Amino acid sequence: EGMDDWLMTFTLGGEGYINAGGQIKNLRAGDLSLLRPRVPHVYGTAKQKSWEFVWVHFSNSFADTNVLPQDDLITHHFEQQVLRDRIFDAFKRILSDFREQGHLWHELCLSSLREIILLYSKQKNSKLDPRVEEVLYILATRMNENIQITELGNSIGLSPSRLQHVFKENTGESIVATLNRMRIKQATYLLTHTNLTASEVAFNVGFQHYNHFTRQFNKYIGMSPRVFIQTVRMIN
């Protein structure tokens, strides 16, 4: 007959379903579902199937539910494996923090829950192709590696040429330009807040050749790394 709290499920494998007010949603791997409080429902495993999933109940007073649609039943499919892994990791943190119930365990659980809801909201409202989002995530997390476009294409099932076309169509810039911009942005943080030399920073953010680093730094920042360091230290 409905409960006083939210129900969130995330399907890891197999197939399940939720019937909420006559609205039936089949749930497969990568599907996140959120059921509002006091909505009559039935959920379970699809006939002749198995269903592997994780779930959590949480209070209607949880502030971050204001980013969710007003639908009684909300479902979303996460195509990218990196996001599926991130969501599952958040569920596992909720479970371990709840079991341990150490200092601030409740706040830690809510923090992990907030991460899941915000990931949903971010992707739901994104105008980017999910495959481009996955590439951006890979670039951000592996920025200091020598990443090949062929490898990126293989990870999302696109040829290198098709990937480059889709990426530029979505973001307005090439993959190489995006990676260089990320690297230079990180370099400015390191030059501002650490005592690393410019050459050490260049290597840290993924540039193999210092001259290439200085050219890109000039392009995005409008000055050389040496002048930037002098300016920052003068301000400090």
Side-chain angles (χ1 to χ4, degrees):
E1 297 303 319
M3 297 174 293
D4 290 333
D5 52 14
W6 284 78
L7 169 64
M8 176 193 288
T9 72
F10 183 62
T11 299
L12 306 172
E15 184 178 343
Y17 70 89
I18 293 184
N19 183 339
Q23 179 187 9
I24 302 175
K25 292 288 187 180
N26 294 321
L27 303 172
R28 296 178 176 85
D31 285 345
L32 182 76
S33 72
L34 293 117
L35 184 72
R36 284 188 175 275
R38 294 177 288 280
V39 176
H41 63 277
V42 175
Y43 70 95
T45 305
K47 289 184 178 180
Q48 298 180 335
K49 301 283 185 177
S50 61
W51 185 24
E52 184 183 4
F53 70 107
V54 287
W55 74 93
V56 61
H57 293 271
F58 58 94
S59 169
N60 193 38
S61 62
F62 182 56
D64 281 28
T65 54
N66 58 12
V67 304
L68 298 173
Q70 294 301 309
D71 303 344
D72 287 343
L73 176 60
I74 303 162
T75 60
H76 183 74
H77 179 70
F78 287 89
E79 187 67 40
Q80 308 98 308
Q81 188 60 48
V82 289
L83 287 180
R84 294 185 187 186
D85 293 342
R86 187 171 176 179
I87 291 170
F88 186 36
D89 285 342
F91 268 100
K92 288 188 287 187
R93 291 198 303 272
I94 292 172
L95 181 60
S96 61
D97 287 328
F98 179 79
R99 285 173 171 170
E100 181 184 353
Q101 298 210 4
H103 183 54
L104 297 176
W105 70 271
H106 189 255
E107 287 74 12
L108 289 169
C109 287
L110 290 180
S111 177
S112 298
L113 178 61
R114 180 175 290 111
E115 179 181 358
I116 298 170
I117 290 176
L118 293 179
L119 283 172
Y120 159 79
S121 182
K122 174 178 178 285
Q123 184 160 88
K124 189 69 175 178
N125 294 294
S126 174
K127 296 179 180 178
L128 294 177
D129 186 307
R131 296 168 297 183
V132 172
E133 286 194 331
E134 183 163 359
V135 170
L136 287 169
Y137 179 83
I138 294 171
L139 294 179
T141 54
R142 298 175 54 193
M143 182 184 63
N144 60 346
E145 299 179 25
N146 184 20
I147 306 173
Q148 301 297 317
I149 293 178
T150 301
E151 179 187 356
L152 291 173
N154 289 338
S155 69
I156 62 170
L158 291 178
S159 67
S161 59
R162 179 59 183 162
L163 168 59
Q164 292 182 87
H165 174 78
V166 171
F167 190 93
K168 188 161 189 177
E169 187 178 54
N170 274 252
T171 66
E173 62 181 0
S174 69
I175 295 173
V176 172
T178 298
L179 179 57
N180 284 334
R181 177 173 50 77
M182 287 182 178
R183 286 171 168 171
I184 295 302
K185 184 177 181 180
Q186 178 68 9
T188 62
Y189 290 143
L190 293 175
L191 291 174
T192 302
H193 300 291
T194 73
N195 292 321
L196 296 174
T197 66
S199 59
E200 288 171 332
V201 167
F203 179 76
N204 185 285
V205 300
F207 286 98
Q208 303 300 310
H209 304 286
Y210 183 72
N211 288 339
H212 184 210
F213 169 66
T214 57
R215 288 195 299 270
Q216 292 299 317
F217 200 95
N218 266 297
K219 175 181 176 181
Y220 287 99
I221 307 302
M223 64 182 76
S224 69
R226 179 178 59 81
V227 173
F228 180 84
I229 292 172
Q230 291 173 346
T231 304
V232 167
R233 289 176 180 172
M234 187 182 301
I235 293 172
N236 289 340

